[in-house]
Amino acid sequence: MVGDATTAADERRARRRRGPGVTGVLGEVLITIGVVVLLYVVWQLWVGDWIYGAQNNAAGSEISDQWDHTEAPLPTMKPTDPSATPAPNDVPVLAEAADAEVFGVMRIPRFGPDYFYDIAGGVTRERTLDPIGIGHYPGTAMPGQQGNFALAAARATWGKPFHRIADLRVGDAIVVETEAGLATSPAAHQTA
């Protein structure tokens, strides 16, 4: 009987030494794939946007520093007075920018002192929105012109330039800086 017990114990030890089975290897491979997919998702949702946003803010700040406007921002309309008209705008009207041509920098004080995003002509994702940040719809007014100055940008990807757009309130300043000067207007976006 003692011989049978030692033989059974030897057989168990031999099975343990053989290494992991097919299910063990498959389990480890699936866990590794899961971790890699999780890291990719974290990159796509948070890390990449943080990096793109920091790069876009730095680029906008650099252009703004190059232009170095010393004059004060233009006055804004009071949102409480519907009959008020904006002050005369001394900013020269720019020609419409070509696709992916940077012509201005947007600053929105409510979004913080480090909010600087380049504005380029066109709204193509590949050439304007993804690499630059904010695009200007062709055919709409340029800074300094009367009319709607229409812009497009991502809210959830590529640095999220318009991620906090719902935080804007009537009367918030939106400053568009061009090489020719500054244009300030109250936010047209109203939230309930």
Side-chain angles (χ1 to χ4, degrees), residues 51-91:
I51 291 170
Y52 298 136
Q55 288 173 341
N56 289 343
N57 278 330
S61 178
E62 184 178 318
I63 288 175
S64 181
D65 289 344
Q66 286 174 0
W67 291 336
D68 191 37
H69 296 293
T70 55
E71 71 266 8
L74 298 172
T76 62
M77 291 187 341
K78 300 255 188 247
T80 55
D81 184 4
S83 65
T85 57
N89 196 344
D90 294 335
V91 177

Side-chain angles (χ1 to χ4, degrees), residues 19-116:
V22 173
T23 56
V25 171
L26 181 62
E28 288 182 23
V29 168
L30 290 176
I31 288 172
T32 303
I33 290 171
V35 168
V36 169
V37 168
L38 180 64
L39 290 173
Y40 178 74
V41 168
V42 167
W43 171 265
Q44 286 296 318
L45 294 179
W46 295 290
V47 177
D49 281 336
W50 180 76
I51 291 170
Y52 298 136
Q55 288 173 341
N56 289 343
N57 278 330
S61 178
E62 184 178 318
I63 288 175
S64 181
D65 289 344
Q66 286 174 0
W67 291 336
D68 191 37
H69 296 293
T70 55
E71 71 266 8
L74 298 172
T76 62
M77 291 187 341
K78 300 255 188 247
T80 55
D81 184 4
S83 65
T85 57
N89 196 344
D90 294 335
V91 177
V93 176
L94 302 174
E96 191 165 312
D99 189 36
E101 177 189 353
V102 175
F103 66 86
V105 175
M106 177 177 279
R107 292 186 283 160
I108 302 176
R110 180 173 290 277
F111 295 170
D114 62 341
Y115 185 88
F116 291 88

Side-chain angles (χ1 to χ4, degrees), residues 122-162:
V123 291
T124 59
R125 182 174 177 192
E126 300 81 20
R127 296 198 45 182
T128 305
L129 299 180
D130 290 350
I132 297 171
I134 300 175
H136 173 258
Y137 278 100
T140 63
M142 290 294 286
Q145 278 183 319
Q146 290 290 330
N148 292 326
F149 176 61
L151 302 173
R155 291 184 70 178
T157 58
W158 291 96
K160 306 177 194 179
F162 283 175

